[in-house]
Amino acid sequence: MAVFLNNGVKVTVNAVDLSDHVQSVTLNRSFQELDVTAMGDSGVKQVKGLEQSSVTIDFLNDTAASSVLATLQAAWGTNVAVTFKQTSAATSATNPLYTMTCLVNNTTDINGAVTDLGMQSVTWNVSGTIVITTS
């Protein structure tokens, strides 16, 4: 069984490695379901439509140059490359590289109460498809 500890995920946004500021990553792969039910069918029939994936990333905010807030501000309102890998090791069948283009359409630059860490959780839709590279 090839189970793994999920504490080494490599995350880049617009070619900036933000892995050391990420607490959680969720890659939601999905596609549209198109209804092809016709008269006489005894149940609903569906076929695969276009990919409709999204990503959710929980960042620890940081105001340093080339860190979270500067990177997300520079990407604000644009489509940028986002990549994930299980570890920073070489891309392989057991460490695939997930590459996608996402519209950076939401950020939470300031968030929390008096004693909270400065964090933000963003969900971005994938523009197009996710490419999975294994070599």
Side-chain angles (χ1 to χ4, degrees), residues 6-29:
N6 205 34
N7 70 341
V9 177
K10 182 175 172 77
V11 178
T12 67
V13 176
N14 206 19
V16 178
D17 185 350
L18 297 175
S19 305
D20 63 345
H21 285 74
V22 172
Q23 280 202 324
S24 175
V25 175
T26 304
L27 180 56
N28 302 297
R29 297 182 67 205

Side-chain angles (χ1 to χ4, degrees), residues 3-127:
V3 297
F4 53 86
L5 183 60
N6 205 34
N7 70 341
V9 177
K10 182 175 172 77
V11 178
T12 67
V13 176
N14 206 19
V16 178
D17 185 350
L18 297 175
S19 305
D20 63 345
H21 285 74
V22 172
Q23 280 202 324
S24 175
V25 175
T26 304
L27 180 56
N28 302 297
R29 297 182 67 205
S30 63
F31 52 84
Q32 295 172 323
E33 296 176 5
L34 305 177
D35 188 339
V36 293
T37 310
M39 295 295 173
D41 287 340
S42 59
V44 173
K45 292 181 181 176
Q46 296 179 325
V47 297
K48 178 183 173 188
L50 299 176
E51 185 170 337
Q52 191 173 2
S53 297
S54 66
V55 299
T56 300
I57 308 170
D58 293 344
F59 290 107
L60 296 165
N61 281 335
D62 188 338
T63 59
S66 297
S67 195
V68 175
L69 294 177
T71 300
L72 299 186
Q73 187 60 37
W76 175 251
T78 64
N79 281 292
V80 298
V82 176
T83 66
F84 302 135
K85 268 200 313 186
Q86 194 61 46
T87 72
S88 59
T91 300
S92 67
T94 58
N95 192 35
L97 174 66
Y98 295 82
T99 304
M100 65 222 70
T101 300
C102 294
L103 174 62
V104 179
N105 63 349
N106 64 76
T107 65
T108 310
D109 299 359
I110 299 173
N111 182 30
V114 172
T115 60
D116 292 344
L117 286 172
M119 294 185 65
Q120 63 179 303
S121 181
V122 297
T123 300
W124 300 324
N125 292 323
V126 174
S127 296

